[in-house]
Amino acid sequence: MNTNKIRPILSEKFEGIIWKIEVNDKYGLIAIESRSLESKKTSFSVINYKTGEILIKEKIFQEPWNLNLAYISEKNLIITAYGQPGSPESKGIISVNIQDAQVLWEHYNLSFNKATDGGLQVYDPRINPRRLSWISHIKGENIEESDKIEHSNEILIHPVFKNQFVIPDFILREELVGDLSVLCVRDLKIISFHEKTQNNIQQRLLVYQDDTILLDEILIRGIQKLQPESFFMQKNHLFYIRNKNEIVSYLV
């Protein structure tokens, strides 16, 4: 591996399946929602992906299942609660301190609409038509909507699915299945694809420059169906999930 081109930054495993990820590049934070289908518990983790420091690791709250990762800010994690299992609409908001995983405040009469670094946009689901308002991240108190509300501009770069991309001959592979995920970053190419191995399928991720392979990773083996999108970029950080329960990052 050409370590002058890409450098490992982060590798962290979780007991459950990685279900959702939120990134805040301004503060170098990544929040992870992981779920254990066996124990029916949802846990939350926060990592500084620039330093590798783990701030929260697999924290489980009083409501063990019907919670959802909504947003990560400089000092706190925003989690939404569902009104009932399987419901897509949030029926409550929880704010968690990322330094000690303690709950800062809870609002179970408000639903979450969106978030920025300046505040949370919320509404009372009991009122029709819907009336949107803003509350503070830290205190959960009402704030005025003004030009001071800082709108987030986090740009996660996702690969493009292509079925006509030609993999160079120096990359040895088995019979391909499905489309390729392709992303070009400066002079690097990042690709992910599924290939048949005996009676199963495996998913691979490669980073290469010209005719040099910098990273060749098996993301998951022995699967029966194609996996969803496998990686994304946040500025110069490559993130991907390995074996459904490990987050890995490289500086590229």
Side-chain angles (χ1 to χ4, degrees), residues 21-23 153-158 232-235 239:
I21 293 173
E22 289 284 336
V23 177
N153 58 354
E154 305 300 336
I155 301 177
L156 302 183
I157 304 174
H158 295 274
F232 65 90
M233 291 283 299
Q234 173 64 43
K235 292 188 177 177
F239 292 93

Side-chain angles (χ1 to χ4, degrees), residues 53-250:
E53 180 185 5
I54 299 173
L55 302 174
I56 300 176
K57 181 65 182 287
E58 295 179 296
K59 172 69 175 179
I60 297 174
F61 295 93
Q62 186 173 358
E63 164 54 65
W65 186 246
N66 296 319
L67 296 177
N68 177 66
L69 172 62
Y71 189 71
I72 177 66
S73 190
E74 178 184 13
K75 298 179 180 179
N76 60 326
L77 180 69
I78 301 299
I79 298 169
T80 57
Y82 296 122
Q84 57 187 0
S87 171
E89 184 176 14
S90 72
K91 296 292 186 180
I93 306 171
I94 305 169
S95 176
V96 179
N97 188 325
I98 64 173
Q99 295 301 322
D100 57 15
Q102 296 301 306
V103 174
L104 295 171
W105 53 261
E106 299 170 284
H107 279 314
Y108 284 100
N109 60 339
L110 293 177
S111 291
F112 174 86
N113 187 56
K114 69 176 183 179
T116 75
D117 286 335
L120 306 178
Q121 191 179 60
V122 300
Y123 62 94
D124 188 333
R126 300 168 297 179
I127 299 176
N128 282 307
R130 183 178 295 182
R131 298 177 183 175
L132 298 174
S133 60
W134 290 88
I135 62 174
S136 163
H137 280 302
I138 304 301
K139 297 183 179 181
E141 300 173 346
N142 289 333
I143 57 176
E144 293 295 326
E145 181 177 8
S146 68
D147 293 338
K148 293 182 180 180
I149 297 294
E150 180 184 347
H151 292 275
S152 297
N153 58 354
E154 305 300 336
I155 301 177
L156 302 183
I157 304 174
H158 295 274
V160 176
F161 291 102
K162 296 185 178 181
N163 56 14
Q164 296 182 338
F165 183 85
V166 178
I167 300 177
D169 291 337
F170 63 85
I171 297 177
L172 302 179
R173 70 251 183 216
E174 304 296 334
E175 179 186 351
L176 299 186
V177 182
D179 294 342
L180 282 76
S181 298
V182 180
L183 183 62
C184 298
V185 181
R186 300 184 301 278
D187 55 349
L188 301 178
K189 286 186 173 61
I190 307 171
I191 62 172
S192 177
F193 55 84
H194 294 80
E195 58 184 358
K196 287 186 178 180
T197 57
Q198 298 178 348
N199 295 323
N200 291 308
I201 300 171
Q202 68 181 19
Q203 187 180 25
R204 284 173 68 187
L205 173 75
L206 290 103
V207 181
Y208 64 94
Q209 177 191 22
D210 298 327
D211 58 354
T212 302
I213 297 175
L214 306 178
L215 178 68
D216 187 352
E217 181 86 83
I218 302 296
L219 299 184
I220 187 167
R221 290 183 168 90
I223 55 178
Q224 298 296 322
K225 61 181 181 179
L226 305 188
Q227 296 295 295
E229 191 173 88
S230 57
F231 69 93
F232 65 90
M233 291 283 299
Q234 173 64 43
K235 292 188 177 177
N236 57 349
H237 284 82
L238 167 66
F239 292 93
Y240 60 90
I241 297 172
R242 183 164 54 199
N243 295 322
K244 295 186 178 181
N245 68 341
E246 182 180 4
I247 184 74
V248 181
S249 178
Y250 278 81

